[in-house]
Structures are given as C-alpha cells and as structure tokens.
Amino acid sequence: MAFNPFEMAQQQFDGVAEKLGLSESIRSLLRVPMREYVVSLPIRMDDGSMRVFRGYRVQHNDGRGPCKGGIRFFPGETVDTVRALATWMTWKCSVVDIPLGGGKGGIDCDPHELSMTEQERLCRAWVRALSTEVGPFLDVPAPDMMTNGQHMLWMLDEYETLHHGRYPGFITGKPVGSGGSLGRTEATGYGVICTLHEALKMLGIDIAKTTASIQGFGNVAYYACERYTKLGGKIICVSCWDNTDKQSHAFKRASGVDIVELKGISDRFGSIDREKARELGYEVLDGDAWIEQDVDILIPAALENQINGDNVSKISSHVKVIAEGANGPTTPEADVEIQKRDIFVIPDFLCNAGGVTCSYFEQVQCNMNYFWEKEEVLEKLDMKMASAFRKVCEMAKDKGVYMRDAAYMIAIDRVANACVGRGWAVK
C-alpha cells in the first residue's frame, strides 16, 4: 500500500489524544485541517506553450496565531502530503511556544526543468490565486524544499502589488537587505544541532567524540553538518538526491566528510557530482547506505518516510541518537522498533523547529521595522530550542513516555487549550 503521510500524522495524533483524554470535539477539530485550497496555475512557458500546474495551501489550525509554513516545489506533490506537513507545523510552532499555527503549501513541479523566468511566473501565479487567503496576519509562507529567498521575494512583490502597499511580514526567508533576517538561512540546521547537543549532554556523551551519518545535502543538512563539525563531531557519510539519474547516492569517507569540499562540487539543489567525489576519495554507495553506517548519530534531513518498517532493522547497534531534521522521516512502525532498541529520538517537529522559530523572528522584525544582529538572532534561537527540548525531556521523564509522545503531549495540549478558550471546542 502506498505511504500516506497524512494518515501517519493522524495516527500519531490519535495515540496522543488518547493519552491526553481529549474530548471528541477537540479530536474532531484538530484531526483535520481547518481550511484547504487547491488551485490550477496556468503558466506561459519560455517556448510560448501553456502548462497548467497544481498548487496547494493548507491551513491546519490558527487557534494560537496566524498560520505559518513553507511552500515547496516538488514533483508529484499531493494534497495529503501538504495536509500532513501543515499538521506537523501546528505542533512544531506549539512545542517551541511561538504564537503561530500550522500551514503548508506546495506546487507540483520540478524546478530542475524550469527556467528562472518560468519559476518566477509560477511564484506570482500562486500568490495571485491565494492572495485573499494569505497575509501577514492570516498565513505567512516561507521557503521549503527546492524554494529559496528569491522565490519568496517574487511572491512578496506580487502580494504587495495586489494589495497596494508594503507588507514585508507577509512572507519570511527573504534575502537579507530585502526584509530577511540574519541567521535565517542557518536556523533549521543549527536548531537540529542545538537539540542534538542538549541530548548528548543529557546522555553524558561528548559531542566531539561522536560520528554521524546524514541524509540530505540541502539547506538543513548543510548547516547541520557545519555546526556539528564545528562542535567537534565527525560526519562519515552524506546521502543526497542526484537529478542526473533520478536516484539518491551516499558519499562515504571514513576519515570524515568535508562539507565545504562537497558543497563545491554540488549544484544549487544539493546534488553532488559523483565522479568529482570519487576523485576526492569518497566511496559512492547506494542512497540508502546512510542508515547502515556504524555511527553514534543518524540525522535524516531530507524527506518523510525514510526510516520505516522495511529498513529500521538496518540501523547499526552503534547508533545512540536519531535527530530528525526532516519532517515525518520515521514511521510509527519504525518507532516501535526504535523504542525497543532504546535509541534516543529527537522528534522532527521539535528537532527541526529552528526554521519556523527564526521565521517568526523575521516576521516580528519586519512588522516592527527593526532588525537584530546575527549574534542576537542565533542566541535567541538557541534559547528557544534548548528550552523546548528540556521541557519535552521533563515530560518524557515525568510521564514515562517516548520522546515523540512527550513532544506531542505538550504541543497538542497547548493548541487544545487555545481552541477551548476561543469557544471552538469543549474539554
């Protein structure tokens, strides 16, 4: 049966709702998104032809504040994937205690096959189709998979043109100098390592004596690698998608991966040149090899459904921690086995919440038209992430539950209380 991320998100919610003893009205409200938009986007291509792309925006819950969440370009994007990501965004904003709800967007396209002018038309068309449903106090988009600051700036320009004003808080992840925040580029990856560092300290493990294998080489993975190696850790394997043959490959070097070196031989989507990597002394392996490495730490930082019932048994007995940099990388079936093996998991919507936290900082700075220095942004980020991590650990210890369940219990309870307070449901 095909993997459905939204069914997985609902399954995770149902288990925690039972533990919390939520009323039927709260369960019915939080189990599904509040609003969903599916739009057709007719685009004039560079060769003069017309193509119609399918776009999405899902707003899961705005009980705690405006919806917040990325918009991604992804071939084969589905509404169920966007529903799941929007749901996880609600819990993500809640677990780090920022006053936002969960939203997510996507366009079914492959930007590898589109020129920059075609991508610009696509960005502007998405905003035109949804301009009355998003905004600085309604729903604030951000970059996600295969989108970046340039895409956000085109979207901002289109939104401001339509609304005849300046609304820099409409969208985050913008370039610095155009309303973007210093530190936003590094935020998600740095946040992953902040929570990892806290976990290792709690477990009594010196990060400088650890090794890691990471899946992904996009923005999140790159900056997670950067901060991890600065703290003394050694990465021995990186896995990423290769657009030339439409499959993933792993790049392993026992002496340690040099991320700057690999960055120099990768394209703007994070695909590493295999031949050049071999010349630099890397083994090029099957893309799934990242999960089989004898390392202390696994960091899935790419797609959902990457640690599942089929491959969880391949995880080495050396692995002590899994830090989920991606959204939904581990299925409930894999979670059962991971708990049995007593591997410490930093759940996705806590581990990778650095991005939305810094996006929130950018939104605040834009709305007050005053910007902080990079050191202040990253200091505030570390404080938020470390505080959230400690609260989840305390809940897990006090209730004797799995870390993922503890994070969900905190996040869902906060959202449920907000919805009850607004009169949308009863306890």
Side-chain angles (χ1 to χ4, degrees):
M1 187 172 66
F3 171 72
N4 186 312
F6 184 53
E7 289 179 359
M8 176 174 131
Q10 288 183 312
Q11 183 180 344
Q12 291 168 335
F13 170 78
D14 290 341
V16 176
E18 195 64 34
K19 288 183 172 68
L20 290 171
L22 296 182
S23 69
E24 189 56 40
S25 66
I26 295 175
R27 295 186 196 206
S28 298
L29 179 66
L30 299 183
R31 200 172 186 274
V32 296
M34 298 182 77
R35 290 173 292 275
E36 300 180 355
Y37 305 99
V38 180
V39 294
S40 293
L41 307 173
I43 302 297
R44 177 78 66 184
M45 308 303 285
D46 289 347
D47 63 4
S49 65
M50 292 293 294
R51 280 183 61 187
V52 178
F53 296 82
R54 185 58 59 92
Y56 306 95
R57 190 66 182 179
V58 173
Q59 296 164 351
H60 175 258
N61 189 279
D62 55 8
R64 284 172 48 87
C67 290
K68 186 83 188 76
I71 174 170
R72 63 186 199 162
F73 288 174
F74 190 72
E77 186 69 282
T78 68
V79 70
D80 274 333
T81 301
V82 181
R83 284 170 178 152
L85 294 169
T87 304
W88 288 324
M89 281 301 301
T90 298
W91 315 140
K92 189 180 300 188
C93 293
S94 180
V95 80
V96 291
D97 202 17
I98 55 178
L100 298 169
K104 207 73 174 185
I107 300 175
D108 181 359
C109 72
D110 187 346
H112 295 90
E113 300 172 355
L114 302 175
S115 71
M116 292 306 290
T117 55
E118 289 167 341
Q119 290 179 51
E120 178 180 355
R121 294 181 198 123
L122 201 52
C123 288
R124 293 181 182 276
W126 186 89
V127 172
R128 286 196 302 273
L130 294 165
S131 66
T132 59
E133 316 304 334
V134 294
F137 304 107
L138 289 174
D139 182 359
V140 182
D144 204 288
M145 186 176 295
M146 292 197 277
T147 59
N148 56 40
Q150 178 60 75
H151 297 107
M152 300 304 103
L153 202 51
W154 285 328
M155 289 183 178
L156 174 65
D157 183 70
E158 190 68 21
Y159 184 86
E160 291 183 335
T161 299
L162 292 168
H163 291 271
H164 307 288
R166 289 289 174 261
Y167 302 96
F170 155 62
I171 204 162
T172 60
K174 304 182 294 296
V176 174
S178 298
S181 174
L182 294 166
R184 174 61 185 86
T185 304
E186 302 94 332
T188 308
Y190 276 26
V192 168
I193 303 306
C194 175
T195 58
L196 172 63
H197 199 190
E198 291 292 319
L200 292 174
K201 286 190 287 186
M202 186 194 70
L203 296 169
I205 300 171
D206 181 356
I207 194 171
K209 296 178 180 178
T210 62
T211 56
S213 177
I214 189 163
Q215 184 197 31
F217 202 59
N219 177 271
V220 177
Y222 180 81
Y223 285 105
C225 290
E226 180 183 86
R227 191 172 193 190
Y228 175 70
T229 53
K230 282 181 179 177
L231 291 170
K234 183 169 77 172
I235 299 161
I236 66 165
C237 185
V238 168
S239 175
C240 70
W241 180 256
D242 190 331
N243 195 54
T244 57
D245 61 0
K246 305 297 182 183
Q247 59 183 307
S248 60
H249 301 282
F251 300 83
K252 179 180 179 181
R253 192 163 68 181
S255 61
V257 168
D258 183 330
I259 60 161
V260 175
E261 183 177 67
L262 287 183
K263 187 75 169 177
I265 59 170
S266 65
D267 65 21
R268 61 193 176 94
F269 296 103
S271 294
I272 299 168
D273 188 304
R274 281 173 285 156
E275 292 309 313
K276 290 181 180 178
R278 289 191 181 96
E279 291 172 6
L280 293 170
Y282 290 88
E283 292 181 70
V284 180
L285 308 171
D286 181 79
D288 292 335
W290 74 278
I291 202 172
E292 304 171 5
Q293 302 305 310
D294 290 332
V295 292
D296 303 297
I297 299 153
L298 292 178
I299 307 176
L303 292 168
E304 61 277 353
N305 188 33
Q306 298 304 297
I307 304 176
N308 51 50
D310 294 331
N311 64 10
V312 66
S313 61
K314 296 179 181 179
I315 295 177
S316 166
S317 60
H318 288 79
V319 173
K320 302 175 182 68
V321 179
I322 297 175
E324 296 182 336
N327 292 308
T330 307
T331 66
E333 293 77 17
D335 262 339
V336 173
E337 181 64 27
I338 289 167
Q339 288 182 69
K340 287 180 183 176
R341 293 178 55 178
D342 201 27
I343 298 172
F344 189 88
V345 171
I346 311 171
D348 52 354
F349 64 98
L350 167 63
C351 188
N352 66 32
V356 72
T357 301
C358 204
S359 279
Y360 166 61
F361 294 162
E362 180 178 330
Q363 183 185 3
V364 169
Q365 293 170 83
C366 284
N367 289 342
M368 68 180 180
N369 200 27
Y370 180 79
F371 289 82
W372 307 325
E373 295 298 325
K374 185 174 184 177
E375 293 73 16
E376 184 177 359
V377 173
L378 295 179
E379 181 181 352
K380 289 179 186 294
L381 175 66
D382 276 355
M383 288 175 60
K384 265 291 187 191
M385 296 297 295
S387 174
F389 176 85
R390 288 192 287 267
K391 283 184 171 63
V392 172
C393 282
E394 289 168 10
M395 173 68 80
K397 183 178 179 181
D398 291 346
K399 300 295 184 182
V401 297
Y402 187 44
M403 276 288 287
R404 191 182 313 281
D405 289 342
Y408 268 117
M409 290 169 74
I410 289 173
I412 292 172
D413 189 57
R414 286 173 176 166
V415 178
N417 287 336
C419 292
V420 169
R422 287 176 177 270
W424 296 352
V426 293
K427 280 235 174 180

